[in-house]
Amino acid sequence: MTERAAPIVEVSDLTVSFSGKPVLDAVTLSLWTGRITVLVGSSGSGKTTLLRAINRLNECFPHCRTEGAVRLKLEGRSGDIYKDFLPLPEVRRRVGMVFQTPAVLPFSILKNLTLPLRVTLGIWGNVLSDRVERALQEVSLWDEVKDRLQDAATTLSGGQQQRLCLARILALEPRVLLLDEPTASLDFRTTHKIEELLARLKERYAILAVSHSLSQVRRLADRVLVLREGRIAQELDPQHLQDTHAFQALLDEVF
Amino acid sequence: MQKTLDRLLTCLAWLSGGGTLLAVSLLLVFLASHGMPGIDAALFFGDTPWLDALLARKPIFGGIWPALVGTFSLVFLASVFSIPLGIASGIYLAEYASDHRHSLLDFMVDLLSGTPSIVMGLFGFTAILALRKTFLPGARTGLLLAGLCIGLLVLPYVIRTTESALEGIPDHLRLLGPSLGLTRWQNINKVLLPLAGRGILSGAILAVGRAAEDTAVILLTGVVAHAGIPGSLADKFEALPFRIYYLAAEHRSPQELEQGFATALVLLLLTGLLFLAAVLLQRSVERRWKTR
Ligand SMILES: Nc1ncnc2c1ncn2[C@@H]1O[C@H](COP(=O)(O)OP(=O)(O)OP(=O)(O)O)[C@@H](O)[C@H]1O
Ligand SMILES: [Mg+2]
């Protein structure tokens, strides 16, 4: 449906290396609001590095070199995030990322959510609590935690922590979501819950997700990118996954 | 074979743990049994009534109260100087320094932590001599100088523990702040420092303990046997470890030796109290960090 709409993120010729060792090689891809793009690839193929290149997080590591362009479209403006299009903190807020390991801070549940809002946007008082509640509602976590917001976030279950991380990003009102294995190490029901959530969220955000599960790819993906040794080796539509030949190729490639 | 080795190692671990406990308990029992009888008002204030002594209405002869005040002031001065500076240097090393500067500074810190305390005292002493000859003819050794020198002595402990506590934070938490749009300093201030709080506390405790017990530095920078309570930062002072040393080396009666033991016990209690205060302070700061 959005085929003709302009993509919100356009990555072109992206090359990333750590200490001179190339990890991503001339990667080109686009992301659209309303679609989930799923990134698959064997371990070490550079999936996490690719996600971190889209919010410039690789720069937190020393000896990292990035070339190429990542164009971001925001409220009618667009520009290369590697070329002073936006201040760096704002890039990262607009392109939210959830990590492979749930990164909850050993603070209270509430503080995990309010800290970035207060520090980066200077939001206080009622506006703050409204945003927190809205974000928790959005990830269907509100009912589970509304009576224990002061408890340590580390006391939440794995799935709850993952949803908390998602809520924390959503509260910052991003346009793009980068999700690194959002359901890794979760049980079937929790996985299902998160998949439902993502299917709902994609209407408003462009989503790039890494997955290690074939069935998940089939359920979620509007498009599949196969990464092999730092290059996009294949690009598949979901219909392709029904095609036994392409399907077998994908299996051989990554699963 | 593997099993025997396993058992052997378990045994060894138990033994070394037990050994440490035993050594510490023996030391404590020894100190307590020798020192406890000597602890009374006379130990602290000599023949001066304690109220007069506390209010500094009358001078104290023969009591350790001035030494207690002296040691406390030294620890305070050294901490005020070394803890903020050490934490700041640790942050710089862990978060800002380029590779080249990092290795240079690492070397400096190692050098500083390898400096014997008598050398540090000598350094303070020569610094005063140099000052006297140049633009501060009135400069003399005293509390401030000793506090600064001790601060320098314990600085590396704080730097090292801060640095390693910050570097020990796993990547997914280290990257979290930036990924949420925090600037570098916001990330350090709001996320990394709270996460490293315990490690930093252990460095501060180490520094306080070391500052309280050092004798060599103060020997050359202003400690005097009967200085009384220092009235200003430039005054000479007494200190507990020096008094212990003095009583042990030059006691003229068994009572004086007993006083030495009692003083050692007091020093131990003082450092214990300081540790406790540090832990309580850190706990309350941590509680604030966690919820607000
Ligand atoms: N900070 C870093 N410093 C040096 N090398 C790195 C760094 N991050 C990633 N690499 C290297 O880049 C390559 C790709 O890593 P990346 O984490 O992107 O893989 P991945 O596809 O996410 O793997 P997995 O499925 O195991 O998470 C690996 O060879 C890794 O060693
Ligand atoms: Mg990864």
mmCIF file with all atom_site columns, all heavy atoms in Angstrom, chain A residues 38-42 45 47 223-236 249-250 253-255:
data_model
loop_
_atom_site.group_PDB
_atom_site.id
_atom_site.type_symbol
_atom_site.label_atom_id
_atom_site.label_alt_id
_atom_site.label_comp_id
_atom_site.label_asym_id
_atom_site.label_entity_id
_atom_site.label_seq_id
_atom_site.pdbx_PDB_ins_code
_atom_site.Cartn_x
_atom_site.Cartn_y
_atom_site.Cartn_z
_atom_site.occupancy
_atom_site.B_iso_or_equiv
_atom_site.pdbx_formal_charge
_atom_site.auth_seq_id
_atom_site.auth_comp_id
_atom_site.auth_asym_id
_atom_site.auth_atom_id
_atom_site.pdbx_PDB_model_num
ATOM 1   N N   . VAL A 1 38  ? 12.115 -7.336  8.280  1.00 0.00 ? 38  VAL A N   1
ATOM 2   C CA  . VAL A 1 38  ? 12.816 -8.235  9.184  1.00 0.00 ? 38  VAL A CA  1
ATOM 3   C C   . VAL A 1 38  ? 14.176 -8.561  8.602  1.00 0.00 ? 38  VAL A C   1
ATOM 4   O O   . VAL A 1 38  ? 14.313 -8.859  7.416  1.00 0.00 ? 38  VAL A O   1
ATOM 5   C CB  . VAL A 1 38  ? 12.014 -9.531  9.439  1.00 0.00 ? 38  VAL A CB  1
ATOM 6   C CG1 . VAL A 1 38  ? 12.811 -10.477 10.320 1.00 0.00 ? 38  VAL A CG1 1
ATOM 7   C CG2 . VAL A 1 38  ? 10.686 -9.206  10.083 1.00 0.00 ? 38  VAL A CG2 1
ATOM 8   N N   . LEU A 1 39  ? 15.167 -8.448  9.477  1.00 0.00 ? 39  LEU A N   1
ATOM 9   C CA  . LEU A 1 39  ? 16.544 -8.679  9.073  1.00 0.00 ? 39  LEU A CA  1
ATOM 10  C C   . LEU A 1 39  ? 16.952 -10.046 9.611  1.00 0.00 ? 39  LEU A C   1
ATOM 11  O O   . LEU A 1 39  ? 16.836 -10.305 10.806 1.00 0.00 ? 39  LEU A O   1
ATOM 12  C CB  . LEU A 1 39  ? 17.403 -7.578  9.702  1.00 0.00 ? 39  LEU A CB  1
ATOM 13  C CG  . LEU A 1 39  ? 18.848 -7.424  9.276  1.00 0.00 ? 39  LEU A CG  1
ATOM 14  C CD1 . LEU A 1 39  ? 18.952 -7.112  7.810  1.00 0.00 ? 39  LEU A CD1 1
ATOM 15  C CD2 . LEU A 1 39  ? 19.480 -6.304  10.104 1.00 0.00 ? 39  LEU A CD2 1
ATOM 16  N N   . VAL A 1 40  ? 17.378 -10.930 8.724  1.00 0.00 ? 40  VAL A N   1
ATOM 17  C CA  . VAL A 1 40  ? 17.862 -12.228 9.190  1.00 0.00 ? 40  VAL A CA  1
ATOM 18  C C   . VAL A 1 40  ? 19.294 -12.411 8.710  1.00 0.00 ? 40  VAL A C   1
ATOM 19  O O   . VAL A 1 40  ? 19.733 -11.756 7.770  1.00 0.00 ? 40  VAL A O   1
ATOM 20  C CB  . VAL A 1 40  ? 16.982 -13.397 8.684  1.00 0.00 ? 40  VAL A CB  1
ATOM 21  C CG1 . VAL A 1 40  ? 15.574 -13.298 9.220  1.00 0.00 ? 40  VAL A CG1 1
ATOM 22  C CG2 . VAL A 1 40  ? 16.967 -13.444 7.162  1.00 0.00 ? 40  VAL A CG2 1
ATOM 23  N N   . GLY A 1 41  ? 19.992 -13.318 9.361  1.00 0.00 ? 41  GLY A N   1
ATOM 24  C CA  . GLY A 1 41  ? 21.385 -13.550 9.001  1.00 0.00 ? 41  GLY A CA  1
ATOM 25  C C   . GLY A 1 41  ? 22.040 -14.334 10.112 1.00 0.00 ? 41  GLY A C   1
ATOM 26  O O   . GLY A 1 41  ? 21.587 -14.287 11.257 1.00 0.00 ? 41  GLY A O   1
ATOM 27  N N   . SER A 1 42  ? 23.096 -15.052 9.773  1.00 0.00 ? 42  SER A N   1
ATOM 28  C CA  . SER A 1 42  ? 23.716 -15.887 10.792 1.00 0.00 ? 42  SER A CA  1
ATOM 29  C C   . SER A 1 42  ? 24.419 -15.010 11.815 1.00 0.00 ? 42  SER A C   1
ATOM 30  O O   . SER A 1 42  ? 24.624 -13.816 11.603 1.00 0.00 ? 42  SER A O   1
ATOM 31  C CB  . SER A 1 42  ? 24.700 -16.843 10.142 1.00 0.00 ? 42  SER A CB  1
ATOM 32  O OG  . SER A 1 42  ? 25.605 -16.114 9.365  1.00 0.00 ? 42  SER A OG  1
ATOM 33  N N   . SER A 1 45  ? 26.901 -11.824 11.325 1.00 0.00 ? 45  SER A N   1
ATOM 34  C CA  . SER A 1 45  ? 26.794 -11.301 9.963  1.00 0.00 ? 45  SER A CA  1
ATOM 35  C C   . SER A 1 45  ? 26.658 -9.784  9.944  1.00 0.00 ? 45  SER A C   1
ATOM 36  O O   . SER A 1 45  ? 26.698 -9.176  8.883  1.00 0.00 ? 45  SER A O   1
ATOM 37  C CB  . SER A 1 45  ? 25.610 -11.946 9.248  1.00 0.00 ? 45  SER A CB  1
ATOM 38  O OG  . SER A 1 45  ? 24.431 -11.740 9.990  1.00 0.00 ? 45  SER A OG  1
ATOM 39  N N   . LYS A 1 47  ? 24.117 -7.903  11.837 1.00 0.00 ? 47  LYS A N   1
ATOM 40  C CA  . LYS A 1 47  ? 22.758 -7.385  12.007 1.00 0.00 ? 47  LYS A CA  1
ATOM 41  C C   . LYS A 1 47  ? 22.719 -6.267  13.044 1.00 0.00 ? 47  LYS A C   1
ATOM 42  O O   . LYS A 1 47  ? 22.183 -5.182  12.802 1.00 0.00 ? 47  LYS A O   1
ATOM 43  C CB  . LYS A 1 47  ? 21.809 -8.524  12.445 1.00 0.00 ? 47  LYS A CB  1
ATOM 44  C CG  . LYS A 1 47  ? 21.779 -9.692  11.493 1.00 0.00 ? 47  LYS A CG  1
ATOM 45  C CD  . LYS A 1 47  ? 20.835 -10.778 11.946 1.00 0.00 ? 47  LYS A CD  1
ATOM 46  C CE  . LYS A 1 47  ? 21.237 -11.448 13.254 1.00 0.00 ? 47  LYS A CE  1
ATOM 47  N NZ  . LYS A 1 47  ? 22.508 -12.192 13.192 1.00 0.00 ? 47  LYS A NZ  1
ATOM 48  N N   . ARG A 1 223 ? 8.611  -7.628  4.685  1.00 0.00 ? 223 ARG A N   1
ATOM 49  C CA  . ARG A 1 223 ? 9.752  -7.725  3.804  1.00 0.00 ? 223 ARG A CA  1
ATOM 50  C C   . ARG A 1 223 ? 10.879 -8.358  4.601  1.00 0.00 ? 223 ARG A C   1
ATOM 51  O O   . ARG A 1 223 ? 11.025 -8.106  5.795  1.00 0.00 ? 223 ARG A O   1
ATOM 52  C CB  . ARG A 1 223 ? 10.197 -6.338  3.363  1.00 0.00 ? 223 ARG A CB  1
ATOM 53  C CG  . ARG A 1 223 ? 10.787 -6.288  1.974  1.00 0.00 ? 223 ARG A CG  1
ATOM 54  C CD  . ARG A 1 223 ? 10.632 -4.888  1.429  1.00 0.00 ? 223 ARG A CD  1
ATOM 55  N NE  . ARG A 1 223 ? 11.057 -3.963  2.469  1.00 0.00 ? 223 ARG A NE  1
ATOM 56  C CZ  . ARG A 1 223 ? 12.221 -3.312  2.439  1.00 0.00 ? 223 ARG A CZ  1
ATOM 57  N NH1 . ARG A 1 223 ? 13.051 -3.465  1.447  1.00 0.00 ? 223 ARG A NH1 1
ATOM 58  N NH2 . ARG A 1 223 ? 12.535 -2.488  3.402  1.00 0.00 ? 223 ARG A NH2 1
ATOM 59  N N   . VAL A 1 224 ? 11.673 -9.174  3.921  1.00 0.00 ? 224 VAL A N   1
ATOM 60  C CA  . VAL A 1 224 ? 12.768 -9.844  4.614  1.00 0.00 ? 224 VAL A CA  1
ATOM 61  C C   . VAL A 1 224 ? 14.081 -9.486  3.938  1.00 0.00 ? 224 VAL A C   1
ATOM 62  O O   . VAL A 1 224 ? 14.180 -9.529  2.709  1.00 0.00 ? 224 VAL A O   1
ATOM 63  C CB  . VAL A 1 224 ? 12.596 -11.386 4.563  1.00 0.00 ? 224 VAL A CB  1
ATOM 64  C CG1 . VAL A 1 224 ? 13.721 -12.066 5.333  1.00 0.00 ? 224 VAL A CG1 1
ATOM 65  C CG2 . VAL A 1 224 ? 11.243 -11.786 5.117  1.00 0.00 ? 224 VAL A CG2 1
ATOM 66  N N   . LEU A 1 225 ? 15.053 -9.092  4.744  1.00 0.00 ? 225 LEU A N   1
ATOM 67  C CA  . LEU A 1 225 ? 16.389 -8.842  4.211  1.00 0.00 ? 225 LEU A CA  1
ATOM 68  C C   . LEU A 1 225 ? 17.329 -9.890  4.767  1.00 0.00 ? 225 LEU A C   1
ATOM 69  O O   . LEU A 1 225 ? 17.347 -10.138 5.968  1.00 0.00 ? 225 LEU A O   1
ATOM 70  C CB  . LEU A 1 225 ? 16.887 -7.457  4.628  1.00 0.00 ? 225 LEU A CB  1
ATOM 71  C CG  . LEU A 1 225 ? 16.063 -6.258  4.181  1.00 0.00 ? 225 LEU A CG  1
ATOM 72  C CD1 . LEU A 1 225 ? 16.655 -4.984  4.751  1.00 0.00 ? 225 LEU A CD1 1
ATOM 73  C CD2 . LEU A 1 225 ? 15.992 -6.196  2.670  1.00 0.00 ? 225 LEU A CD2 1
ATOM 74  N N   . VAL A 1 226 ? 18.083 -10.512 3.894  1.00 0.00 ? 226 VAL A N   1
ATOM 75  C CA  . VAL A 1 226 ? 19.039 -11.516 4.348  1.00 0.00 ? 226 VAL A CA  1
ATOM 76  C C   . VAL A 1 226 ? 20.427 -10.903 4.315  1.00 0.00 ? 226 VAL A C   1
ATOM 77  O O   . VAL A 1 226 ? 20.887 -10.429 3.280  1.00 0.00 ? 226 VAL A O   1
ATOM 78  C CB  . VAL A 1 226 ? 19.006 -12.766 3.446  1.00 0.00 ? 226 VAL A CB  1
ATOM 79  C CG1 . VAL A 1 226 ? 19.971 -13.813 3.989  1.00 0.00 ? 226 VAL A CG1 1
ATOM 80  C CG2 . VAL A 1 226 ? 17.601 -13.307 3.357  1.00 0.00 ? 226 VAL A CG2 1
ATOM 81  N N   . LEU A 1 227 ? 21.068 -10.916 5.465  1.00 0.00 ? 227 LEU A N   1
ATOM 82  C CA  . LEU A 1 227 ? 22.400 -10.330 5.573  1.00 0.00 ? 227 LEU A CA  1
ATOM 83  C C   . LEU A 1 227 ? 23.410 -11.465 5.611  1.00 0.00 ? 227 LEU A C   1
ATOM 84  O O   . LEU A 1 227 ? 23.260 -12.425 6.370  1.00 0.00 ? 227 LEU A O   1
ATOM 85  C CB  . LEU A 1 227 ? 22.473 -9.498  6.859  1.00 0.00 ? 227 LEU A CB  1
ATOM 86  C CG  . LEU A 1 227 ? 23.561 -8.446  6.955  1.00 0.00 ? 227 LEU A CG  1
ATOM 87  C CD1 . LEU A 1 227 ? 23.401 -7.391  5.889  1.00 0.00 ? 227 LEU A CD1 1
ATOM 88  C CD2 . LEU A 1 227 ? 23.513 -7.795  8.326  1.00 0.00 ? 227 LEU A CD2 1
ATOM 89  N N   . ARG A 1 228 ? 24.409 -11.372 4.735  1.00 0.00 ? 228 ARG A N   1
ATOM 90  C CA  . ARG A 1 228 ? 25.454 -12.394 4.795  1.00 0.00 ? 228 ARG A CA  1
ATOM 91  C C   . ARG A 1 228 ? 26.802 -11.705 4.750  1.00 0.00 ? 228 ARG A C   1
ATOM 92  O O   . ARG A 1 228 ? 27.097 -10.975 3.806  1.00 0.00 ? 228 ARG A O   1
ATOM 93  C CB  . ARG A 1 228 ? 25.318 -13.367 3.624  1.00 0.00 ? 228 ARG A CB  1
ATOM 94  C CG  . ARG A 1 228 ? 26.240 -14.560 3.763  1.00 0.00 ? 228 ARG A CG  1
ATOM 95  C CD  . ARG A 1 228 ? 26.679 -15.094 2.421  1.00 0.00 ? 228 ARG A CD  1
ATOM 96  N NE  . ARG A 1 228 ? 25.578 -15.637 1.656  1.00 0.00 ? 228 ARG A NE  1
ATOM 97  C CZ  . ARG A 1 228 ? 25.542 -15.594 0.319  1.00 0.00 ? 228 ARG A CZ  1
ATOM 98  N NH1 . ARG A 1 228 ? 26.525 -15.041 -0.350 1.00 0.00 ? 228 ARG A NH1 1
ATOM 99  N NH2 . ARG A 1 228 ? 24.522 -16.104 -0.334 1.00 0.00 ? 228 ARG A NH2 1
ATOM 100 N N   . GLU A 1 229 ? 27.597 -11.929 5.740  1.00 0.00 ? 229 GLU A N   1
ATOM 101 C CA  . GLU A 1 229 ? 28.932 -11.322 5.845  1.00 0.00 ? 229 GLU A CA  1
ATOM 102 C C   . GLU A 1 229 ? 28.913 -9.838  5.508  1.00 0.00 ? 229 GLU A C   1
ATOM 103 O O   . GLU A 1 229 ? 29.727 -9.342  4.742  1.00 0.00 ? 229 GLU A O   1
ATOM 104 C CB  . GLU A 1 229 ? 29.902 -12.066 4.946  1.00 0.00 ? 229 GLU A CB  1
ATOM 105 C CG  . GLU A 1 229 ? 30.206 -13.446 5.491  1.00 0.00 ? 229 GLU A CG  1
ATOM 106 C CD  . GLU A 1 229 ? 30.981 -14.293 4.494  1.00 0.00 ? 229 GLU A CD  1
ATOM 107 O OE1 . GLU A 1 229 ? 31.480 -13.730 3.504  1.00 0.00 ? 229 GLU A OE1 1
ATOM 108 O OE2 . GLU A 1 229 ? 31.067 -15.504 4.724  1.00 0.00 ? 229 GLU A OE2 1
ATOM 109 N N   . GLY A 1 230 ? 27.943 -9.156  6.085  1.00 0.00 ? 230 GLY A N   1
ATOM 110 C CA  . GLY A 1 230 ? 27.932 -7.708  5.938  1.00 0.00 ? 230 GLY A CA  1
ATOM 111 C C   . GLY A 1 230 ? 27.312 -7.179  4.666  1.00 0.00 ? 230 GLY A C   1
ATOM 112 O O   . GLY A 1 230 ? 27.348 -5.995  4.411  1.00 0.00 ? 230 GLY A O   1
ATOM 113 N N   . ARG A 1 231 ? 26.743 -8.050  3.834  1.00 0.00 ? 231 ARG A N   1
ATOM 114 C CA  . ARG A 1 231 ? 26.064 -7.566  2.631  1.00 0.00 ? 231 ARG A CA  1
ATOM 115 C C   . ARG A 1 231 ? 24.634 -8.054  2.633  1.00 0.00 ? 231 ARG A C   1
ATOM 116 O O   . ARG A 1 231 ? 24.331 -9.136  3.138  1.00 0.00 ? 231 ARG A O   1
ATOM 117 C CB  . ARG A 1 231 ? 26.715 -8.121  1.372  1.00 0.00 ? 231 ARG A CB  1
ATOM 118 C CG  . ARG A 1 231 ? 28.078 -7.573  1.114  1.00 0.00 ? 231 ARG A CG  1
ATOM 119 C CD  . ARG A 1 231 ? 28.673 -8.357  -0.029 1.00 0.00 ? 231 ARG A CD  1
ATOM 120 N NE  . ARG A 1 231 ? 30.110 -8.181  0.008  1.00 0.00 ? 231 ARG A NE  1
ATOM 121 C CZ  . ARG A 1 231 ? 30.812 -7.792  -1.030 1.00 0.00 ? 231 ARG A CZ  1
ATOM 122 N NH1 . ARG A 1 231 ? 30.204 -7.555  -2.172 1.00 0.00 ? 231 ARG A NH1 1
ATOM 123 N NH2 . ARG A 1 231 ? 32.108 -7.649  -0.930 1.00 0.00 ? 231 ARG A NH2 1
ATOM 124 N N   . ILE A 1 232 ? 23.769 -7.268  2.000  1.00 0.00 ? 232 ILE A N   1
ATOM 125 C CA  . ILE A 1 232 ? 22.406 -7.743  1.804  1.00 0.00 ? 232 ILE A CA  1
ATOM 126 C C   . ILE A 1 232 ? 22.458 -8.762  0.674  1.00 0.00 ? 232 ILE A C   1
ATOM 127 O O   . ILE A 1 232 ? 22.699 -8.413  -0.489 1.00 0.00 ? 232 ILE A O   1
ATOM 128 C CB  . ILE A 1 232 ? 21.463 -6.587  1.407  1.00 0.00 ? 232 ILE A CB  1
ATOM 129 C CG1 . ILE A 1 232 ? 21.516 -5.483  2.447  1.00 0.00 ? 232 ILE A CG1 1
ATOM 130 C CG2 . ILE A 1 232 ? 20.057 -7.107  1.190  1.00 0.00 ? 232 ILE A CG2 1
ATOM 131 C CD1 . ILE A 1 232 ? 20.616 -5.647  3.621  1.00 0.00 ? 232 ILE A CD1 1
ATOM 132 N N   . ALA A 1 233 ? 22.273 -10.023 1.040  1.00 0.00 ? 233 ALA A N   1
ATOM 133 C CA  . ALA A 1 233 ? 22.418 -11.071 0.038  1.00 0.00 ? 233 ALA A CA  1
ATOM 134 C C   . ALA A 1 233 ? 21.124 -11.297 -0.720 1.00 0.00 ? 233 ALA A C   1
ATOM 135 O O   . ALA A 1 233 ? 21.135 -11.729 -1.877 1.00 0.00 ? 233 ALA A O   1
ATOM 136 C CB  . ALA A 1 233 ? 22.864 -12.368 0.700  1.00 0.00 ? 233 ALA A CB  1
ATOM 137 N N   . GLN A 1 234 ? 19.997 -11.023 -0.081 1.00 0.00 ? 234 GLN A N   1
ATOM 138 C CA  . GLN A 1 234 ? 18.704 -11.305 -0.688 1.00 0.00 ? 234 GLN A CA  1
ATOM 139 C C   . GLN A 1 234 ? 17.647 -10.420 -0.086 1.00 0.00 ? 234 GLN A C   1
ATOM 140 O O   . GLN A 1 234 ? 17.742 -10.018 1.076  1.00 0.00 ? 234 GLN A O   1
ATOM 141 C CB  . GLN A 1 234 ? 18.329 -12.756 -0.381 1.00 0.00 ? 234 GLN A CB  1
ATOM 142 C CG  . GLN A 1 234 ? 18.350 -13.662 -1.578 1.00 0.00 ? 234 GLN A CG  1
ATOM 143 C CD  . GLN A 1 234 ? 17.898 -15.047 -1.176 1.00 0.00 ? 234 GLN A CD  1
ATOM 144 O OE1 . GLN A 1 234 ? 18.324 -15.566 -0.140 1.00 0.00 ? 234 GLN A OE1 1
ATOM 145 N NE2 . GLN A 1 234 ? 17.033 -15.621 -1.966 1.00 0.00 ? 234 GLN A NE2 1
ATOM 146 N N   . GLU A 1 235 ? 16.648 -10.128 -0.872 1.00 0.00 ? 235 GLU A N   1
ATOM 147 C CA  . GLU A 1 235 ? 15.533 -9.354  -0.370 1.00 0.00 ? 235 GLU A CA  1
ATOM 148 C C   . GLU A 1 235 ? 14.281 -10.096 -0.770 1.00 0.00 ? 235 GLU A C   1
ATOM 149 O O   . GLU A 1 235 ? 14.082 -10.400 -1.950 1.00 0.00 ? 235 GLU A O   1
ATOM 150 C CB  . GLU A 1 235 ? 15.567 -7.963  -1.009 1.00 0.00 ? 235 GLU A CB  1
ATOM 151 C CG  . GLU A 1 235 ? 14.753 -6.967  -0.257 1.00 0.00 ? 235 GLU A CG  1
ATOM 152 C CD  . GLU A 1 235 ? 14.937 -5.551  -0.775 1.00 0.00 ? 235 GLU A CD  1
ATOM 153 O OE1 . GLU A 1 235 ? 16.033 -5.231  -1.276 1.00 0.00 ? 235 GLU A OE1 1
ATOM 154 O OE2 . GLU A 1 235 ? 13.964 -4.798  -0.707 1.00 0.00 ? 235 GLU A OE2 1
ATOM 155 N N   . LEU A 1 236 ? 13.448 -10.446 0.209  1.00 0.00 ? 236 LEU A N   1
ATOM 156 C CA  . LEU A 1 236 ? 12.304 -11.307 -0.090 1.00 0.00 ? 236 LEU A CA  1
ATOM 157 C C   . LEU A 1 236 ? 11.006 -10.655 0.352  1.00 0.00 ? 236 LEU A C   1
ATOM 158 O O   . LEU A 1 236 ? 10.945 -9.993  1.380  1.00 0.00 ? 236 LEU A O   1
ATOM 159 C CB  . LEU A 1 236 ? 12.437 -12.638 0.647  1.00 0.00 ? 236 LEU A CB  1
ATOM 160 C CG  . LEU A 1 236 ? 13.673 -13.479 0.355  1.00 0.00 ? 236 LEU A CG  1
ATOM 161 C CD1 . LEU A 1 236 ? 13.836 -14.517 1.440  1.00 0.00 ? 236 LEU A CD1 1
ATOM 162 C CD2 . LEU A 1 236 ? 13.531 -14.122 -1.004 1.00 0.00 ? 236 LEU A CD2 1
ATOM 163 N N   . ALA A 1 249 ? 16.266 -21.847 0.184  1.00 0.00 ? 249 ALA A N   1
ATOM 164 C CA  . ALA A 1 249 ? 17.483 -21.036 0.120  1.00 0.00 ? 249 ALA A CA  1
ATOM 165 C C   . ALA A 1 249 ? 17.660 -20.231 1.409  1.00 0.00 ? 249 ALA A C   1
ATOM 166 O O   . ALA A 1 249 ? 18.749 -20.148 1.980  1.00 0.00 ? 249 ALA A O   1
ATOM 167 C CB  . ALA A 1 249 ? 17.419 -20.093 -1.077 1.00 0.00 ? 249 ALA A CB  1
ATOM 168 N N   . LEU A 1 250 ? 16.568 -19.667 1.880  1.00 0.00 ? 250 LEU A N   1
ATOM 169 C CA  . LEU A 1 250 ? 16.622 -18.876 3.103  1.00 0.00 ? 250 LEU A CA  1
ATOM 170 C C   . LEU A 1 250 ? 17.014 -19.746 4.289  1.00 0.00 ? 250 LEU A C   1
ATOM 171 O O   . LEU A 1 250 ? 17.855 -19.366 5.113  1.00 0.00 ? 250 LEU A O   1
ATOM 172 C CB  . LEU A 1 250 ? 15.250 -18.236 3.355  1.00 0.00 ? 250 LEU A CB  1
ATOM 173 C CG  . LEU A 1 250 ? 15.151 -17.331 4.576  1.00 0.00 ? 250 LEU A CG  1
ATOM 174 C CD1 . LEU A 1 250 ? 16.070 -16.139 4.431  1.00 0.00 ? 250 LEU A CD1 1
ATOM 175 C CD2 . LEU A 1 250 ? 13.719 -16.858 4.783  1.00 0.00 ? 250 LEU A CD2 1
ATOM 176 N N   . GLU A 1 253 ? 20.528 -20.486 4.228  1.00 0.00 ? 253 GLU A N   1
ATOM 177 C CA  . GLU A 1 253 ? 21.305 -19.304 4.502  1.00 0.00 ? 253 GLU A CA  1
ATOM 178 C C   . GLU A 1 253 ? 21.455 -19.006 5.994  1.00 0.00 ? 253 GLU A C   1
ATOM 179 O O   . GLU A 1 253 ? 22.555 -18.767 6.488  1.00 0.00 ? 253 GLU A O   1
ATOM 180 C CB  . GLU A 1 253 ? 20.624 -18.100 3.823  1.00 0.00 ? 253 GLU A CB  1
ATOM 181 C CG  . GLU A 1 253 ? 21.408 -16.832 3.880  1.00 0.00 ? 253 GLU A CG  1
ATOM 182 C CD  . GLU A 1 253 ? 22.482 -16.817 2.814  1.00 0.00 ? 253 GLU A CD  1
ATOM 183 O OE1 . GLU A 1 253 ? 22.159 -17.019 1.624  1.00 0.00 ? 253 GLU A OE1 1
ATOM 184 O OE2 . GLU A 1 253 ? 23.630 -16.619 3.184  1.00 0.00 ? 253 GLU A OE2 1
ATOM 185 N N   . VAL A 1 254 ? 20.345 -19.037 6.690  1.00 0.00 ? 254 VAL A N   1
ATOM 186 C CA  . VAL A 1 254 ? 20.445 -18.511 8.056  1.00 0.00 ? 254 VAL A CA  1
ATOM 187 C C   . VAL A 1 254 ? 19.915 -19.361 9.183  1.00 0.00 ? 254 VAL A C   1
ATOM 188 O O   . VAL A 1 254 ? 20.289 -19.139 10.328 1.00 0.00 ? 254 VAL A O   1
ATOM 189 C CB  . VAL A 1 254 ? 19.721 -17.149 8.155  1.00 0.00 ? 254 VAL A CB  1
ATOM 190 C CG1 . VAL A 1 254 ? 20.555 -16.090 7.527  1.00 0.00 ? 254 VAL A CG1 1
ATOM 191 C CG2 . VAL A 1 254 ? 18.340 -17.189 7.585  1.00 0.00 ? 254 VAL A CG2 1
ATOM 192 N N   . PHE A 1 255 ? 19.030 -20.266 8.907  1.00 0.00 ? 255 PHE A N   1
ATOM 193 C CA  . PHE A 1 255 ? 18.447 -20.935 10.078 1.00 0.00 ? 255 PHE A CA  1
ATOM 194 C C   . PHE A 1 255 ? 19.035 -22.300 10.344 1.00 0.00 ? 255 PHE A C   1
ATOM 195 O O   . PHE A 1 255 ? 19.687 -22.877 9.515  1.00 0.00 ? 255 PHE A O   1
ATOM 196 C CB  . PHE A 1 255 ? 16.935 -21.036 9.925  1.00 0.00 ? 255 PHE A CB  1
ATOM 197 C CG  . PHE A 1 255 ? 16.272 -19.682 9.972  1.00 0.00 ? 255 PHE A CG  1
ATOM 198 C CD1 . PHE A 1 255 ? 15.763 -19.104 8.835  1.00 0.00 ? 255 PHE A CD1 1
ATOM 199 C CD2 . PHE A 1 255 ? 16.179 -18.987 11.164 1.00 0.00 ? 255 PHE A CD2 1
ATOM 200 C CE1 . PHE A 1 255 ? 15.163 -17.865 8.872  1.00 0.00 ? 255 PHE A CE1 1
ATOM 201 C CE2 . PHE A 1 255 ? 15.585 -17.742 11.217 1.00 0.00 ? 255 PHE A CE2 1
ATOM 202 C CZ  . PHE A 1 255 ? 15.071 -17.174 10.056 1.00 0.00 ? 255 PHE A CZ  1
#
